């Protein structure tokens, strides 16, 4: 039921942080994994890490803000690994700034990286996901898909929209045998949050106190959700968003 042998996954931002957690979960359950990121050294290290799990893995350089680059990423995945069954739209970024100081450039950078990329990666992947008969799209949202924060107008707008994109693609592509779901990470210890943890007074204590789990999340916490959503066990689950947050979002 959870076996992904013979399936191919493509993970944007799969070269580190939560993306590498998703990639490990898929690899551990038998999928071959194409890691897509900008940094060739990180890409290569992630491939090695996945191969050490016994998986088939490869990497492709991509700038997810560029539609042509997304098309080339999908084509490369199919060329190297033969098919594409599972697309994980994980690459993301944040620019923390009060709304009165957000520039148009900031806005476009965050929206293009977090939201527009997911739409057009999914569009490029659609023919292959459909052809394989067991297509999966897994998008990465955030606690800021559901909450607001003062310095996160662009980020929260992008992540809220990722949930709606998930539902829209799910309704459109169910007829093609494709499920589309979303993950809502809580506060996870990665390169992306290290600055916030350092700079936002009280954040570290708040996360530990509010999350019933009593700790920050780790990339390893994302292995299971990726494997589950990708598996046959989740064949009748589509359009959902599952929080992986140690309970942060259920406690006021
Ligand atoms: P990281 O900074 O470790 O990961 C970000 C990833 O995105 C990197 O692999 C990076 O690759 C890739 N990336 C960024 N911009 C681009 C681009 N233009 N083209 C291609 N790849 C790009 O942070 P996280 O693991 O924390 O973040 C992963 C996802 O999880 C993001 O969508 C983030 O919003 C989300 N998230 C994180 C939370 C957290 O607490 N950490 C909470 C909620 C959501 P490269 O280094 O090669 O550029």
């Amino acid at each position: 039921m959870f076996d992904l042998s013979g399936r191919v996954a493509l993970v944007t931002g799969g070269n580190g942080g939560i993306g590498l957690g998703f990639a490990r979960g898929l690899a551990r359950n038998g999928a071959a994994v194409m890691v897509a990121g900008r940094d060739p050294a990180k890409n290569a290290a992630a491939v090695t890490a996945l191969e050490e799990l016994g998986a088939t893995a490869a990497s492709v350089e991509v700038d997810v803000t560029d539609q042509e680059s997304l098309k080339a990423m999908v084509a490369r995945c199919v060329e190297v690994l033969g098919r594409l069954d599972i697309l994980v739209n994980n690459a993301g970024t944040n620019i923390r700034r009060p709304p009165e100081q957000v520039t148009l450039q900031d806005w476009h950078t965050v929206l293009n990286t977090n939201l527009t990329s997911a739409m057009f990666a999914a569009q490029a992947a659609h023919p292959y996901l459909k052809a394989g008969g067991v297509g999966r799209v897994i998008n990465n949202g955030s606690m800021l898909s559901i909450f607001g924060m003062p310095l996160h107008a662009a980020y929260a707008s992008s992540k809220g929209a990722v949930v709606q994109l998930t539902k829209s693609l799910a309704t459109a592509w169910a007829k093609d045998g494709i499920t589309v779901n979303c993950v809502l990470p809580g506060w996870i210890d990665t390169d992306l949050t290290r600055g916030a943890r350092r700079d936002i007074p009280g954040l570290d204590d708040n996360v530990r106190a509010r999350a019933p789990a009593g700790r920050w999340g780790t990339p390893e916490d994302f292995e299971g959700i990726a494997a589950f959503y990708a598996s046959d066990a989740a064949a009748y689950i589509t359009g959902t968003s599952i929080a992986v947050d140690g309970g942060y979002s259920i406690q006021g």
Side-chain angles (χ1 to χ4, degrees), residues 19-78:
L20 185 53
F22 288 140
R24 283 182 196 274
L26 297 165
R28 281 190 204 282
N29 287 278
V33 179
M34 177 65 74
V35 167
R38 286 176 301 193
D39 181 331
K42 282 175 64 182
N43 287 352
V47 168
T48 302
L50 296 172
E51 286 174 342
E52 282 169 1
L53 298 176
T56 299
S59 70
V60 57
E61 281 178 47
V62 67
D63 177 355
V64 298
T65 64
D66 176 344
Q67 191 181 1
E68 292 309 312
S69 187
L70 290 171
K71 286 184 194 168
M73 169 188 80
V74 168
R76 184 75 183 145
C77 177
V78 174

Side-chain angles (χ1 to χ4, degrees), residues 11-22 35-43 60-66 69-70 73 89-94 109 112-114 117 139-145 155 158-159 162 183-194 216-217 219 222 244:
V11 184
T12 71
N15 60 14
I18 293 172
L20 185 53
F22 288 140
V35 167
R38 286 176 301 193
D39 181 331
K42 282 175 64 182
N43 287 352
V60 57
E61 281 178 47
V62 67
D63 177 355
V64 298
T65 64
D66 176 344
S69 187
L70 290 171
M73 169 188 80
N89 285 313
N90 161 78
T93 196
N94 192 10
T109 298
N112 286 342
T113 307
N114 297 357
S117 65
N139 294 324
N140 201 3
S142 167
M143 287 295 101
L144 291 174
S145 299
Y155 185 82
S158 72
K159 293 295 188 175
V162 163
V183 179
L184 306 180
W187 284 96
I188 315 305
D189 185 18
T190 68
D191 290 349
L192 195 69
T193 49
R194 240 150 252 155
W216 286 62
F222 292 82
V244 179

Side-chain angles (χ1 to χ4, degrees), residues 95 97 99 101-112 154:
I95 300 173
R97 206 159 275 172
Q101 291 173 17
V102 170
T103 66
L104 191 59
Q105 171 85 41
D106 295 337
W107 182 265
H108 284 314
T109 298
V110 174
L111 270 285
N112 286 342

